[in-house]
Amino acid sequence: MKKTKDYFNFFKEKHRDKLIKSRNGETKLGEKLNFITSFNSLKQTNAKYVIIGVPEDIGVRANHGKPGAADFWFDFIAAFINLQENRYFSANDFLIAGHIKTQQLITQAQQSIDEYKDQLGRLSVYVETIDEWLSGL
């Protein structure tokens, strides 16, 4: 049986390096971020805020909303790490841990939407699964 942490993708320097847009005279938040490779490492961080992404829109779909929120996490990270660091907004205050791997659940949820009319009842199972994964971190 998989552990909750098996469903987690840690944010790494190689991910940051693909997204960072360096600029002369500016220090981007992402250029100074600290990284973790396990949740045990959280004990050693001084960050005030740990950011964990949940790229999914299953709950939105269950309520007959428009899909698309699942992509927001990746857009957010690209914008967030490119914010300019300054004395009021320091990379030391933040740690981007990573995100829950939700693609398989989203695929299963879409199949459920395509097959059944009772979206809310069936999709709530997937939302509960994500809640369980998050509470186990």
Side-chain angles (χ1 to χ4, degrees):
M1 185 168 148
K2 287 186 174 184
K3 296 180 179 180
T4 301
K5 291 163 186 73
D6 294 331
Y7 299 105
F8 196 81
N9 188 20
F10 286 96
F11 190 70
K12 299 180 175 101
E13 288 182 68
K14 67 180 181 178
H15 300 134
R16 185 249 352 243
D17 292 345
K18 290 179 184 178
L19 298 172
I20 201 82
K21 295 177 182 163
S22 297
R23 197 171 178 184
N24 285 335
E26 288 185 3
T27 302
K28 302 292 182 161
L29 194 68
E31 293 173 322
K32 291 193 159 190
L33 279 176
N34 293 310
F35 300 89
I36 59 171
T37 56
S38 75
F39 287 105
N40 291 333
S41 302
L42 287 173
K43 295 173 185 171
Q44 285 86 33
T45 185
N46 291 326
K48 294 179 184 176
Y49 309 100
V50 176
I51 301 171
I52 296 175
V54 187
E56 61 88 18
D57 54 10
I58 298 169
V60 173
R61 292 170 186 245
N63 290 311
H64 306 286
K66 290 184 179 182
D71 298 328
F72 176 72
W73 166 249
F74 304 103
D75 295 335
F76 163 76
I77 286 300
F80 185 77
I81 67 169
N82 282 293
L83 292 172
Q84 187 174 347
E85 186 184 52
N86 58 51
R87 65 181 182 208
Y88 304 108
F89 194 66
S90 172
N92 293 330
D93 290 339
F94 299 95
L95 175 72
I96 301 173
H99 68 274
I100 297 285
K101 298 175 190 177
T102 56
Q103 190 54 51
Q104 183 178 0
L105 282 181
I106 291 172
T107 300
Q108 291 171 349
Q110 184 60 51
Q111 291 168 348
S112 182
I113 289 170
D114 293 342
E115 190 172 341
Y116 302 100
K117 293 186 188 221
D118 179 18
Q119 292 180 12
L120 183 58
R122 296 197 178 271
L123 294 183
S124 64
V125 172
Y126 300 107
V127 173
E128 289 171 11
T129 299
I130 292 170
D131 290 346
E132 287 174 19
W133 290 353
L134 284 168
S135 65
L137 294 179

